[in-house]
Amino acid sequence: MKPRIFYWSITSALAGFLFGFDTVVISGAEQTIQSLWHLSPGIHGLAMASALYGTVIGSVIGSWPTDRFGRKPTLTVIGILYILSAIGCAYSWDVTSFIVARFVGGLGIGISTVAAPLYISEIAPPAYRGRLAGMFQFNIVFGIIIAFLSNFLLKDIGANAWRWMLGVAAFPSILYTLMCFGLPESPRWLLGRKQDREAGIKVLQLIQPEASRTQIEAEAQEILAISHERVEAGGFWTARLRVPILLAFLVAFFNQLSGINAILYFAPRIFEMTGLGTKAALLQSVGIGVTNLVFTFVGLWLIDRLGRRTLLYIGSFGYILSLGLTSWAFFMKHFSIVPPCIFAFIAAHAIGQGTVIWVLISEIFPNRHRASGQALGSFTHWIFAALLTTFFPKMVASLAPGYVFLFFWVMMVLQLLWVRFMVPETKGVPLEEMEHRLTGTRSPVAVNAAQSSSQSASAGRSA
């Protein structure tokens, strides 16, 4: 793998670092904010969730700038949104200005989950695409840990510590934005959307400097042919795209119905049910965070070796075992085994769904519809994250915890069946070839060869 491709992928994946940092950094400031502005529980909840609302909207609209203006400008704008959000939060003078600033950051998060994995998938060689696109998820987890560490280091610097906690995100945001100026545009966007053949070929040559001009021309022609294929009937919501649409929806749906956000956001409440008390916060911020990071790294190491489908199998079995034991432990009041089960659950998620989700969604759609497909998967992920986060406290208040984890267990059994009967393996498959497999179309190269063969045979019969 060429160093420049790794650098471009790291730059794009840093949007995930800012995503993780921005999502969690609020945890160190939320109590101070509520006290400072004398917020009611309802307004406080709205303020804390404002970024999540921005994320949902950002995921819906993210495909438009990504397709209309290009991958590179969109990634750059994401950095600007993060900068504005960090500075706005640091200097907010009331709850309204704070909500607006957090909402702007949420827009950046939502758009990043569309543009960043998509860009990496379009520049990465097939053999390395999984681990490169998966770095987006790794950076999310890494950003979460750095946010916890940053909050810890800044907590005692004075009355305005909370402003520094939120404002410090401006520094990595500025660095990321500057790095984006060094990115090339995606060759698939240049060829398929902008119709700029020469610019697309130049980027392909940067990606594959060892390839001959003839090979580059052939690849460019393949991308152009794919992009123009069935354009007249090429709407997104068509029967031709039913398989990738269903795959994107279900991978995001099952990701959240595992209960991952509920466990990450409400770990203290869950651990308190087991009698751990004050240890819960430490287990959440340090233990769960480190476990998530370590096993995400393992998932990245495995994804191009074992494949996406295999990791989903591993994750599904890990989910079923850990959630089943957690449910049983709550029913039987064996509370001492709940924490190990929760950590096992985090490990299963990190190796399986956590590593695979953004990679798989970025691989299964045609070039022309990849941004819309990424937006669909991202929106599905975030809307179910919002719903789960909203209703989980009510679930544990009205039901015994064992039933709540039993529900998640049932959903993961369904995920296992989905992986078994519906999920294809995308490891090492060129993006254009994946389109042929999932949409039922034939490769333009194969079609041309078949037509040539038919014409030759016809000419032979005529002779």
Side-chain angles (χ1 to χ4, degrees):
M1 179 172 53
K2 300 295 182 291
R4 67 181 61 170
I5 296 176
F6 183 75
Y7 174 77
W8 297 338
S9 300
I10 281 287
T11 298
S12 183
L14 282 176
F17 173 87
L18 298 173
F19 162 5
F21 191 98
D22 187 79
T23 299
V24 168
V25 73
I26 188 64
S27 65
E30 59 98 2
Q31 294 185 57
T32 303
I33 289 170
Q34 183 175 21
S35 174
L36 177 67
W37 291 324
H38 309 291
L39 304 181
S40 67
I43 298 299
H44 182 57
L46 177 64
M48 294 305 103
S50 55
L52 187 57
Y53 299 135
T55 299
V56 172
I57 294 175
S59 67
V60 172
I61 67 173
S63 65
W64 179 74
T66 305
D67 271 341
R68 176 67 177 82
F69 303 107
R71 290 30 168 165
K72 176 181 176 179
T74 303
L75 289 169
T76 306
V77 168
I78 289 167
I80 295 171
L81 291 174
Y82 281 134
I83 294 170
L84 293 175
S85 176
I87 295 174
C89 286
Y91 286 97
S92 55
W93 57 90
D94 59 14
V95 69
T96 302
S97 59
F98 177 80
I99 288 174
V100 171
R102 288 289 292 170
F103 181 85
V104 168
L107 286 176
I109 292 173
I111 298 172
S112 76
T113 58
V114 176
L118 181 154
Y119 175 81
I120 297 172
S121 75
E122 291 187 339
I123 65 166
Y128 298 100
R129 193 172 59 234
R131 71 193 74 171
L132 290 176
M135 285 195 301
F136 181 72
Q137 175 67 19
F138 179 84
N139 274 276
I140 293 172
V141 177
F142 186 52
I144 289 172
I145 290 181
I146 296 301
F148 282 129
L149 178 62
S150 174
N151 285 348
F152 175 77
L153 294 175
L154 294 172
K155 65 183 175 65
D156 295 323
I157 66 172
N160 288 321
W162 70 274
R163 295 186 183 275
W164 281 101
M165 288 178 184
L166 298 172
V168 74
F171 296 108
S173 299
I174 291 170
L175 176 62
Y176 161 76
T177 305
L178 293 174
M179 291 174 68
C180 281
F181 287 106
L183 294 175
E185 184 52 85
S186 160
R188 288 175 168 84
W189 184 82
L190 290 169
L191 291 164
R193 283 284 177 176
K194 196 176 181 182
Q195 306 295 300
D196 190 337
R197 181 183 178 88
E198 283 306 311
I201 287 175
K202 286 181 181 178
V203 178
L204 287 174
Q205 287 176 324
L206 288 174
I207 294 173
Q208 306 172 65
E210 73 285 352
S212 67
R213 176 74 181 190
T214 301
Q215 291 172 317
I216 295 294
E217 291 275 0
E219 183 172 352
Q221 186 58 40
E222 172 79 356
I223 294 171
L224 279 167
I226 285 288
S227 298
H228 293 153
E229 193 176 53
R230 298 192 185 182
V231 170
E232 295 78 10
F236 182 75
W237 298 102
T238 61
R240 186 170 76 100
L241 295 182
R242 65 187 183 277
V243 173
I245 285 174
L246 191 58
L247 286 171
F249 175 83
L250 287 176
V251 73
F253 171 81
F254 282 124
N255 181 282
Q256 286 303 306
L257 269 294
S258 67
I260 181 62
N261 268 24
I263 290 174
L264 288 177
Y265 291 176
F266 298 103
R269 184 186 301 237
I270 294 169
F271 288 129
E272 284 170 10
M273 295 174 185
T274 70
L276 288 180
T278 57
K279 296 180 181 179
L282 180 61
L283 285 170
Q284 179 193 36
S285 61
V286 180
I288 286 180
V290 171
T291 300
N292 204 355
L293 182 69
V294 169
F295 283 93
T296 297
F297 186 81
V298 173
L300 290 179
W301 187 76
L302 292 174
I303 192 167
D304 282 322
R305 292 172 170 83
L306 300 182
R308 291 64 157 149
R309 193 165 183 255
T310 301
L311 291 193
L312 286 176
Y313 267 127
I314 294 171
S316 296
F317 284 118
Y319 279 145
I320 291 169
L321 180 62
S322 58
L323 289 170
L325 284 173
T326 303
S327 176
W328 174 82
F330 273 115
F331 280 129
M332 303 303 294
K333 302 188 186 304
H334 293 316
F335 298 133
S336 62
I337 72 167
V338 170
C341 292
I342 296 297
F343 280 86
F345 169 86
I346 294 296
H349 173 81
I351 289 179
Q353 270 273 13
T355 297
V356 171
I357 177 173
W358 304 116
V359 176
L360 183 67
I361 295 172
S362 71
E363 294 177 322
I364 57 179
F365 285 94
N367 293 334
R368 186 173 184 82
H369 299 293
R370 187 165 295 116
S372 297
Q374 195 78 30
L376 169 67
S378 179
F379 172 76
T380 303
H381 174 276
W382 288 116
I383 197 66
F384 279 102
L387 291 172
L388 185 65
T389 303
T390 299
F391 290 108
F392 183 77
K394 295 181 179 179
M395 291 170 66
V396 295
S398 57
L399 296 172
Y403 287 111
V404 175
F405 284 95
L406 182 62
F407 168 76
F408 294 143
W409 179 86
V410 170
M411 298 309 299
M412 291 304 93
V413 171
L414 293 178
Q415 173 178 278
L416 179 61
L417 295 174
W418 168 69
V419 174
R420 170 64 179 84
F421 293 107
M422 288 189 61
V423 177
E425 181 53 74
T426 61
K427 179 187 74 170
V429 181
L431 294 177
E432 287 68 36
E433 177 60 29
M434 185 54 58
E435 175 179 351
H436 306 319
R437 295 185 185 183
L438 295 182
T439 64
T441 59
R442 298 175 65 190
S443 166
V445 174
V447 170
N448 291 338
Q451 289 175 342
S452 299
S453 177
S454 176
Q455 290 169 358
S456 298
S458 177
R461 288 194 296 270
S462 297

